[in-house]
Amino acid sequence: VCVCVCVALFWILFIVAIFPHPEPFDEQLEAFGKLSGSDDLWHRGIRFHQVRDFQRAMKDYDAALELNPESTFALLYRGRLKYDLNDFEGAVADFTRALEIDPRFGSAINARIVARYRAGDEEGALSDVQLLTANEPDRNLPLINRAVMKKLDGDLEGALAEFEQLRADTPPDE
Protein backbone atom coordinates (compact mmCIF):
# COMPACT_ATOMS: atom_id res chain seq x y z
CA VAL A 1 0.00 0.00 0.00
CA CYS A 2 2.80 2.37 0.92
CA VAL A 3 4.53 1.66 -2.40
CA CYS A 4 1.30 2.43 -4.33
CA VAL A 5 0.88 5.73 -2.49
CA CYS A 6 4.51 6.66 -3.17
CA VAL A 7 4.20 5.80 -6.88
CA ALA A 8 0.93 7.77 -7.17
CA LEU A 9 2.48 10.76 -5.40
CA PHE A 10 5.51 10.57 -7.70
CA TRP A 11 3.30 10.67 -10.81
CA ILE A 12 1.22 13.53 -9.49
CA LEU A 13 4.33 15.59 -8.74
CA PHE A 14 5.84 14.62 -12.10
CA ILE A 15 2.73 15.70 -14.02
CA VAL A 16 2.46 18.98 -12.10
CA ALA A 17 6.13 19.73 -12.81
CA ILE A 18 5.99 18.81 -16.51
CA PHE A 19 2.77 20.50 -17.67
CA PRO A 20 2.59 24.29 -17.65
CA HIS A 21 0.16 25.92 -15.29
CA PRO A 22 -2.60 27.93 -16.91
CA GLU A 23 -1.87 31.63 -16.65
CA PRO A 24 -4.45 34.02 -15.26
CA PHE A 25 -6.51 35.82 -17.91
CA ASP A 26 -4.69 39.15 -17.50
CA GLU A 27 -1.31 37.47 -18.00
CA GLN A 28 -2.59 35.73 -21.12
CA LEU A 29 -3.77 39.05 -22.49
CA GLU A 30 -0.44 40.68 -21.69
CA ALA A 31 1.41 37.92 -23.52
CA PHE A 32 -1.00 38.33 -26.43
CA GLY A 33 -0.50 42.09 -26.24
CA LYS A 34 3.19 41.75 -27.10
CA LEU A 35 2.07 41.02 -30.65
CA SER A 36 2.00 44.30 -32.52
CA GLY A 37 -0.02 43.85 -35.72
CA SER A 38 -3.44 45.33 -36.38
CA ASP A 39 -5.08 41.88 -36.39
CA ASP A 40 -3.46 41.04 -33.07
CA LEU A 41 -4.85 44.20 -31.51
CA TRP A 42 -8.45 43.77 -32.62
CA HIS A 43 -8.33 40.10 -31.60
CA ARG A 44 -7.23 41.17 -28.13
CA GLY A 45 -9.93 43.83 -28.20
CA ILE A 46 -12.49 41.06 -28.66
CA ARG A 47 -11.17 39.36 -25.52
CA PHE A 48 -11.50 42.58 -23.52
CA HIS A 49 -14.97 43.13 -24.97
CA GLN A 50 -16.01 39.61 -23.93
CA VAL A 51 -15.06 40.30 -20.30
CA ARG A 52 -16.79 43.70 -20.47
CA ASP A 53 -13.58 45.73 -20.18
CA PHE A 54 -14.93 48.20 -22.71
CA GLN A 55 -12.28 50.88 -22.22
CA ARG A 56 -9.40 48.53 -23.00
CA ALA A 57 -11.33 46.97 -25.88
CA MET A 58 -11.92 50.39 -27.46
CA LYS A 59 -8.25 51.26 -27.00
CA ASP A 60 -7.22 48.09 -28.87
CA TYR A 61 -9.75 48.61 -31.68
CA ASP A 62 -8.57 52.22 -32.11
CA ALA A 63 -4.91 51.15 -32.11
CA ALA A 64 -5.67 48.45 -34.71
CA LEU A 65 -7.30 51.06 -36.93
CA GLU A 66 -4.33 53.41 -36.52
CA LEU A 67 -2.09 50.65 -37.86
CA ASN A 68 -4.53 49.63 -40.59
CA PRO A 69 -7.40 52.05 -41.30
CA GLU A 70 -8.75 49.57 -43.87
CA SER A 71 -9.29 46.75 -41.35
CA THR A 72 -12.92 45.81 -41.88
CA PHE A 73 -12.86 43.47 -38.88
CA ALA A 74 -11.50 46.15 -36.53
CA LEU A 75 -14.28 48.44 -37.75
CA LEU A 76 -16.88 45.70 -37.31
CA TYR A 77 -15.85 44.88 -33.76
CA ARG A 78 -15.43 48.52 -32.73
CA GLY A 79 -18.92 49.12 -34.14
CA ARG A 80 -20.26 46.23 -32.08
CA LEU A 81 -18.65 47.73 -28.97
CA LYS A 82 -20.21 51.11 -29.72
CA TYR A 83 -23.55 49.34 -30.16
CA ASP A 84 -23.14 47.68 -26.76
CA LEU A 85 -22.46 51.15 -25.30
CA ASN A 86 -25.73 52.40 -26.89
CA ASP A 87 -23.81 54.62 -29.35
CA PHE A 88 -25.92 53.49 -32.28
CA GLU A 89 -24.89 56.34 -34.59
CA GLY A 90 -21.20 55.61 -33.92
CA ALA A 91 -21.83 51.94 -34.59
CA VAL A 92 -23.58 52.74 -37.87
CA ALA A 93 -20.61 54.93 -38.88
CA ASP A 94 -18.13 52.10 -38.25
CA PHE A 95 -20.26 49.54 -40.09
CA THR A 96 -20.72 51.97 -42.99
CA ARG A 97 -16.95 52.56 -43.20
CA ALA A 98 -16.37 48.78 -43.28
CA LEU A 99 -18.89 48.53 -46.12
CA GLU A 100 -17.16 51.31 -48.05
CA ILE A 101 -14.05 49.12 -47.95
CA ASP A 102 -15.88 45.85 -48.68
CA PRO A 103 -19.44 46.39 -49.97
CA ARG A 104 -20.30 42.66 -49.69
CA PHE A 105 -19.20 42.28 -46.04
CA GLY A 106 -22.33 40.48 -44.81
CA SER A 107 -21.49 40.73 -41.10
CA ALA A 108 -21.22 44.53 -41.38
CA ILE A 109 -24.49 44.75 -43.32
CA ASN A 110 -26.23 42.58 -40.74
CA ALA A 111 -24.84 44.58 -37.82
CA ARG A 112 -25.77 47.88 -39.48
CA ILE A 113 -29.37 46.70 -39.92
CA VAL A 114 -29.80 46.28 -36.18
CA ALA A 115 -27.85 49.46 -35.29
CA ARG A 116 -29.87 51.55 -37.75
CA TYR A 117 -33.08 50.12 -36.40
CA ARG A 118 -32.06 50.87 -32.79
CA ALA A 119 -31.01 54.40 -33.86
CA GLY A 120 -34.55 54.96 -35.19
CA ASP A 121 -33.58 54.76 -38.87
CA GLU A 122 -36.16 52.17 -39.94
CA GLU A 123 -35.90 53.12 -43.63
CA GLY A 124 -32.13 52.64 -43.52
CA ALA A 125 -32.55 49.30 -41.78
CA LEU A 126 -35.01 48.11 -44.42
CA SER A 127 -32.68 49.34 -47.15
CA ASP A 128 -29.91 47.25 -45.60
CA VAL A 129 -32.22 44.23 -45.48
CA GLN A 130 -32.62 44.63 -49.24
CA LEU A 131 -28.84 44.97 -49.63
CA LEU A 132 -28.34 41.85 -47.55
CA THR A 133 -30.96 40.01 -49.62
CA ALA A 134 -29.01 40.90 -52.77
CA ASN A 135 -25.77 39.63 -51.18
CA GLU A 136 -27.23 36.51 -49.54
CA PRO A 137 -28.76 34.31 -52.24
CA ASP A 138 -30.10 31.77 -49.74
CA ARG A 139 -32.24 34.55 -48.16
CA ASN A 140 -32.09 33.09 -44.64
CA LEU A 141 -30.34 36.00 -42.96
CA PRO A 142 -32.55 38.73 -44.49
CA LEU A 143 -35.72 36.86 -43.56
CA ILE A 144 -34.48 36.41 -40.00
CA ASN A 145 -33.64 40.14 -39.77
CA ARG A 146 -37.05 41.18 -41.08
CA ALA A 147 -38.71 38.82 -38.61
CA VAL A 148 -36.71 40.24 -35.70
CA MET A 149 -37.53 43.83 -36.71
CA LYS A 150 -41.22 43.00 -36.95
CA LYS A 151 -41.13 41.33 -33.54
CA LEU A 152 -39.42 44.39 -32.04
CA ASP A 153 -42.21 46.52 -33.53
CA GLY A 154 -44.81 44.33 -31.83
CA ASP A 155 -45.92 42.72 -35.10
CA LEU A 156 -45.82 39.12 -33.92
CA GLU A 157 -47.97 37.90 -36.80
CA GLY A 158 -45.65 39.53 -39.33
CA ALA A 159 -42.62 38.01 -37.58
CA LEU A 160 -44.23 34.57 -37.66
CA ALA A 161 -45.01 35.01 -41.36
CA GLU A 162 -41.32 35.75 -42.05
CA PHE A 163 -40.28 32.65 -40.13
CA GLU A 164 -42.87 30.59 -42.00
CA GLN A 165 -41.41 31.87 -45.28
CA LEU A 166 -37.95 30.88 -44.03
CA ARG A 167 -39.22 27.42 -43.18
CA ALA A 168 -40.89 27.07 -46.60
CA ASP A 169 -37.65 28.12 -48.37
CA THR A 170 -35.44 25.72 -46.40
CA PRO A 171 -35.12 22.19 -47.77
CA PRO A 172 -36.04 19.46 -45.25
CA ASP A 173 -32.50 18.06 -45.04
CA GLU A 174 -30.96 21.30 -43.68
Side-chain angles (χ1 to χ4, degrees), residues 6 9 12 14 27 62 72 81 85 163-164:
C6 287
L9 186 57
I12 290 171
F14 178 75
E27 290 177 24
D62 289 343
T72 55
L81 175 59
L85 296 171
F163 282 119
E164 286 298 322

Side-chain angles (χ1 to χ4, degrees), residues 52 69 106 120 143-145 148 166:
R52 306 187 63 75
L143 286 170
I144 291 168
N145 278 315
V148 168
L166 176 64

Side-chain angles (χ1 to χ4, degrees), residues 120-141:
D121 181 9
E122 293 177 12
E123 282 185 36
L126 288 173
S127 172
D128 279 348
V129 167
Q130 292 171 347
L131 178 61
L132 190 60
T133 302
N135 287 330
E136 295 285 334
D138 67 4
R139 296 188 54 217
N140 290 349
L141 198 52

Side-chain angles (χ1 to χ4, degrees), residues 35-46:
L35 304 171
S36 60
S38 174
D39 290 347
D40 301 328
L41 288 165
W42 65 258
H43 275 105
R44 188 176 69 173
I46 293 170

Side-chain angles (χ1 to χ4, degrees), residues 19-75:
F19 293 105
H21 306 294
E23 298 176 69
F25 181 67
D26 285 341
E27 290 177 24
Q28 290 175 9
L29 286 175
E30 285 306 313
F32 191 62
K34 291 179 181 146
L35 304 171
S36 60
S38 174
D39 290 347
D40 301 328
L41 288 165
W42 65 258
H43 275 105
R44 188 176 69 173
I46 293 170
R47 299 279 308 269
F48 284 129
H49 192 166
Q50 289 171 337
V51 297
R52 306 187 63 75
D53 189 343
F54 297 144
Q55 186 176 13
R56 289 167 79 181
M58 185 66 76
K59 182 179 172 184
D60 279 349
Y61 295 144
D62 289 343
L65 288 164
E66 282 181 31
L67 289 173
N68 180 7
E70 304 289 304
S71 173
T72 55
F73 284 101
L75 287 162

